């Protein structure tokens, strides 16, 4: 990734005439589409580098289409609450809403997302094959598409190359067992061997699925919980050990902002999290250690490599009275030109289009000390195309995910053993699912 001490600046004329043309991504200019009239639409989205990029380009969108777009930016907790209320009420106050990854099952089942096939059938410029397979998977149900992906977060590792090298590691451990051995070897009171953020139901599955476990037996068809299996108990214990013994104090309850500060200050050597968070460890305005950082894939387990992927897209609110205008905004927001600009001008590397991730200017900007971050991110999205992320998109996932965090925190803090904690989680989850009418198999 580019060092902010020597920024590679691209002015508007160079950007339009050079970078976009070089990658073949510049769309033909044109006036407003005939089927849309001059109007205003409202959109709800989480505050993020990509949304900042969209905001910066809204005037140009209005100039091109005659449509004025207003974006309300908010945190994820606020977005989750407000989006649920808006979609359930059917008020139509918002025309476009961010499709939250772990709520896709509930929202699609409730018919809270307008099917996009009629729009896609008439619009061949969207170029669906350009989206990496794993990025599209959460928004499809059979042949029907309910949202288009705007940003994705893939689990990767950021680490102190100097500390690992001093301990005899030319590169990060390839397996989770080797990671635990390394963490024990490099951990000191001054510099922890491992750190991650407190959204534990997002981090632990990197271990769980790699060891052959899952949240459910066969999601979405069979939602029988699988938290009391040998795989779940073993990986919960491994993960909790890293949090309890080799992480900074409070290891199970560190939010991402605190973890960034820990890495900036050199108080941890190995950080596993979503790319959107991990890339911040080389913010040269915050740390003098950026030149010692590098990046890699997450480790593997006995069953293989199963990094996690969270994808967020855009849906059209079925209650919107301005669906054609909403579609114009959506196609622009996930377009190649817009996504490329967000990457180059606003640091949004967590894109979903292969053409953007492989654009030469993106490669140049987001390569750091030999670590090709676009390639790491694209590899995770391709891997997730196999469908193993289906457990996160079932309608019942959000409350179950909350219970997973409680169980893992209790295990890491020594309040319970891994076996007892997972058995309690199993019973709690079974009760929750039965209450919702889900059949639990023995």
């Amino acid at each position: 990734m580019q060092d902010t001490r020597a920024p590679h600046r691209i002015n508007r004329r160079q950007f339009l005439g050079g970078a976009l043309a070089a990658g073949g991504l510049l769309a033909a200019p044109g006036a407003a589409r005939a089927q849309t009239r001059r109007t205003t639409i409202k959109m709800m989205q989480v505050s993020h580098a990509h949304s900042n990029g969209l905001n910066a380009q809204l005037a140009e969108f209005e100039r091109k289409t005659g449509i004025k777009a207003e974006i309300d930016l908010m945190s994820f907790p606020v977005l989750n609450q407000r989006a649920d209320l808006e979609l359930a009420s059917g008020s139509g106050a918002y025309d476009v809403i961010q499709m939250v990854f772990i709520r896709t099952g509930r929202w699609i089942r409730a018919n809270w997302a307008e099917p996009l096939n009629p729009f896609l059938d008439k619009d061949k410029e969207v170029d669906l094959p350009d989206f990496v397979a794993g990025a599209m998977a959460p928004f499809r149900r059979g042949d029907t598409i309910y949202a288009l992906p705007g940003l994705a977060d893939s689990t990767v590792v950021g680490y102190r190359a100097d500390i690992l090298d001093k301990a005899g590691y030319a590169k990060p451990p390839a397996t989770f067992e080797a990671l635990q051995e390394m963490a024990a070897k490099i951990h000191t009171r001054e510099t922890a061997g491992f750190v991650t953020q407190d959204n534990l139901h997002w981090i632990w599955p990197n271990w769980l699925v790699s060891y052959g476990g899952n949240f459910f037996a066969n999601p979405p068809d069979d939602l029988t919980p699988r938290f009391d299996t040998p795989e779940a108990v073993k990986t919960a214990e491994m993960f909790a050990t890293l949090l309890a013994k080799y992480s900074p104090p409070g290891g199970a309850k560190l939010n991402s902002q605190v973890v960034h500060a820990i890495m900036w200050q050199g108080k941890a050597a190995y950080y596993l999290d979503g790319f959107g968070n991990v890339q911040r460890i080389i913010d040269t305005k915050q740390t003098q250690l950026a030149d010692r950082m590098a990046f890699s894939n997450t480790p593997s387990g006995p069953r293989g490599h199963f990094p996690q992927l969270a994808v967020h897209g855009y849906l059209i609110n079925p209650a919107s009275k301005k669906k054609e205008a909403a579609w114009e905004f959506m196609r622009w927001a996930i377009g190649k030109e817009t996504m490329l600009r967000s990457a180059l001008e606003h640091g949004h590397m967590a894109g979903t289009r292969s053409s953007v991730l492989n654009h030469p200017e993106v490669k140049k900007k987001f390569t750091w000390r030999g670590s090709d971050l676009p390639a790491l991110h694209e590899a995770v999205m391709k891997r997730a195309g196999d469908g193993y992320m289906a457990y996160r998109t079932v309608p019942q996932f959000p409350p179950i995910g909350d219970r997973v965090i409680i169980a893992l925190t209790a295990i890491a803090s020594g309040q319970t053993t891994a076996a007892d904690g997972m058995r309690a989680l199993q019973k709690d989850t079974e009760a929750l699912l039965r209450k919702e009418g889900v059949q639990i198999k023995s």
Side-chain angles (χ1 to χ4, degrees), residues 191-267:
T191 303
F194 174 86
V195 72
T196 191
Q197 59 136 321
D198 57 359
N199 191 15
L200 304 183
H201 70 62
W202 160 243
I203 306 298
W204 173 53
N206 288 273
W207 281 254
L208 176 66
V209 184
S210 297
Y211 276 76
N214 206 322
F215 278 37
F216 311 105
N218 184 30
D221 300 320
D222 183 356
L223 298 186
T224 302
R226 285 292 181 261
F227 293 120
D228 59 353
T229 62
E231 295 83 6
V233 173
K234 179 180 177 63
T235 56
E237 186 170 23
M238 292 176 67
F239 184 51
T241 297
L242 284 169
L243 296 176
K245 296 181 65 175
Y246 307 121
S247 294
K253 296 183 178 181
L254 304 174
N255 64 40
S256 57
Q257 290 79 16
V258 172
V259 175
H260 297 153
I262 287 171
M263 293 298 295
W264 293 334
Q265 295 164 14
K267 295 180 179 179

Side-chain angles (χ1 to χ4, degrees), residues 9-65:
R9 301 188 181 278
I10 302 174
N11 65 37
R12 181 175 178 80
R13 180 174 297 177
Q14 290 172 325
F15 184 86
L16 290 174
L20 292 171
L25 301 179
L26 186 58
R33 294 197 165 199
Q35 68 267 34
T36 61
R37 56 187 174 84
R38 189 167 187 84
T39 188
T40 299
I41 65 164
K42 290 196 67 174
M43 190 262 192
M44 180 191 301
Q45 179 170 342
V46 71
S47 182
H48 183 273
H50 181 54
S51 57
N52 294 337
L54 293 184
N55 258 335
Q57 301 178 63
L58 286 182
E60 184 168 348
F61 169 71
E62 183 176 359
R63 179 184 61 78
K64 286 183 175 181
T65 65

Side-chain angles (χ1 to χ4, degrees), residues 1 15 64 130 179 256 264 268 281 297 332 356 392 412 430:
M1 184 176 292
F15 184 86
K64 286 183 175 181
D130 189 41
L179 166 60
S256 57
W264 293 334
I281 67 174
N297 284 314
W332 168 80
V356 173
R392 295 188 80 84
E430 288 180 357

Side-chain angles (χ1 to χ4, degrees), residues 303-379:
R303 293 293 298 275
H305 184 223
F306 293 91
Q308 300 296 287
L309 179 70
V311 187
H312 300 275
Y314 299 113
L315 63 81
I316 294 177
N317 187 349
S320 170
K321 303 298 191 295
K322 306 170 184 177
K323 291 187 177 68
E324 290 293 340
W327 170 250
E328 284 300 308
F329 176 83
M330 181 186 295
R331 71 187 298 279
W332 168 80
I334 53 83
K336 298 176 184 179
E337 178 181 341
T338 305
M339 197 173 292
L340 181 60
R341 278 196 171 123
S342 290
L344 296 179
E345 296 183 342
H346 299 278
H348 172 60
M349 204 291 293
T352 54
R353 287 186 175 275
S354 180
S355 61
V356 173
L357 293 171
N358 288 285
H359 191 281
E361 289 292 335
V362 173
K363 289 285 191 182
K364 179 180 179 180
K365 182 178 179 68
F366 293 99
T367 295
W368 183 265
R369 297 187 78 251
S371 300
D372 185 339
L373 301 183
L376 288 177
H377 180 52
E378 185 177 24

Side-chain angles (χ1 to χ4, degrees), residues 72-83:
D72 283 353
L73 299 178
M74 54 200 73
S75 67
F76 258 119
V78 173
L79 177 74
N80 289 335
Q81 183 181 41
R82 289 186 60 181

